[in-house]
Amino acid sequence: SYVLTQPPSVSVAPGKTARIACGGNNIGSKNVHWYQLKPGQAPVLVISYDSDRPSGIPERFSASNSGNTATLTISRVEAGDEADYYCQVWDSTSDHFVFGTGTKVTVL
Amino acid sequence: EVQLVESGGGLVQPGGSLRLSCAASGFTFSSYWMTWVRQAPGKGLEWVASIKQDGSEKYFMDSVKGRLIISRDSAKNSLYMQMNSLRAEDTAMYYCARGGEYGSSPFDYWGQGTLVTVSS
C-alpha cells in the first residue's frame, strides 16, 4: 500500500517560515492535498491539488510537489498556525485515500 | 453555509454495533461524494470509507471491509455508517467530510466529529 511520511514535528518562531515535507514514492505524479487540524475543531483543507488555496485560506500558505516530496510552506508564521498538518493523496492503484503520518507545528 | 453534523457515537462493547449519522445542509447533497475519516486517540487521520453521489460506488479501507457499511439518503441529506463487529481499534473520533464531483476529490468541508469508544 502507498505510504506518505511526514516529520513528527516542526518548530518555528513567529514571523519565520515553516516547511513541512511529505514523502512518497513518485508523489509528484499524484495530486496532494493538505489539511490543518486543531484540537476540538473540524479539520480544514488548506491546500488542494498540490498548490491551490481554497477560499479563505491566507496567502501565507503555499505548497509544491515534485519527485518524491511534496512540501507545505507557511510563511510569516502566527501563533494561530499551531496545529497538526496532514498531507493526503488518492492512490488509484488501490482506490484508497492515504493520509500522511502528520506533523505537529509548534510556534515558539 | 455548508454544515455537516455527526451524531450516533457512544460507548459500545467489543463485537457490538453502532450507527453513525451525518446531517448535511447548505449545499446540494446529491452532487457530492461523501466520506468518513477517523482519528484514534493520539493517532493521525485515517480514511475509512467513501460513497458516490448516487451510492453506486463505495470504497473502504481494508480493515473495515465487511464490518462497516456506508450509505446515504439524498431525500434526507444524510450520510450514514453502520458499524458492526466493533473492535477496540475502532475507537476514534469519526468525521464526516464532503468530497467533490470525483471519488478522488479532496475533502473541502468537515464536521466536528462524533466519538466512538469500543470497550468492555
Side-chain angles (χ1 to χ4, degrees):
Chain A
S1 60
Y2 195 77
V3 175
L4 294 174
T5 303
Q6 299 178 234
S9 62
V10 167
S11 297
V12 58
K16 299 299 185 182
T17 298
R19 293 181 179 85
I20 304 166
C22 173
N25 183 36
N26 197 26
I27 194 174
S29 67
K30 301 180 182 298
N31 290 314
V32 180
H33 317 298
W34 291 90
Y35 300 88
Q36 176 192 68
L37 183 54
K38 296 181 179 179
Q41 297 187 22
V44 174
L45 176 67
V46 294
I47 293 288
S48 62
Y49 297 102
D50 293 347
S51 59
D52 292 343
R53 265 182 299 103
S55 174
I57 301 302
E59 291 183 7
R60 301 183 297 100
F61 287 82
S62 63
S64 62
N65 182 24
S66 178
N68 292 317
T69 305
T71 304
L72 174 68
T73 301
I74 310 172
S75 304
R76 303 180 298 283
V77 166
E78 302 175 356
D81 298 331
E82 192 163 277
D84 294 329
Y85 292 84
Y86 294 86
C87 56
Q88 179 209 39
V89 301
W90 169 255
D91 179 21
S92 58
T93 301
S94 62
D95 284 341
H96 282 28
F97 281 103
V98 179
F99 281 101
T101 49
T103 298
K104 181 175 181 60
V105 170
T106 300
V107 181
L108 301 172
Chain B
E1 177 192 6
V2 173
Q3 285 197 319
L4 298 170
V5 180
E6 302 93 336
S7 61
L11 175 63
V12 60
Q13 292 188 339
S17 297
L18 213 54
R19 190 194 195 205
L20 306 184
S21 299
C22 171
S25 61
F27 65 100
T28 304
F29 181 73
S30 60
S31 296
Y32 293 85
W33 280 77
M34 295 297 295
T35 288
W36 289 100
V37 176
R38 69 186 183 185
Q39 184 178 31
K43 303 294 185 181
L45 294 177
E46 185 174 51
W47 168 77
V48 177
S50 296
I51 184 168
K52 193 176 179 179
Q53 290 89 331
D54 61 0
S56 62
E57 290 184 40
K58 302 173 186 179
Y59 302 123
F60 295 90
M61 64 179 293
D62 294 343
S63 66
V64 306
K65 281 181 182 175
R67 299 190 301 117
L68 273 58
I69 302 167
I70 190 171
S71 63
R72 63 191 296 165
D73 185 338
S74 289
K76 296 183 178 180
N77 288 341
S78 292
L79 174 71
Y80 305 102
M81 188 154 69
Q82 178 66 40
M83 309 174 72
N84 301 320
S85 303
L86 283 164
R87 307 166 180 170
E89 54 264 36
D90 295 317
T91 293
M93 181 71 78
Y94 284 76
Y95 296 98
C96 163
R98 189 181 84 166
E101 180 180 359
Y102 305 106
S104 60
S105 299
F107 312 142
D108 59 354
Y109 287 94
W110 299 60
Q112 297 275 1
T114 186
L115 182 62
V116 172
T117 303
V118 183
S119 175
S120 55

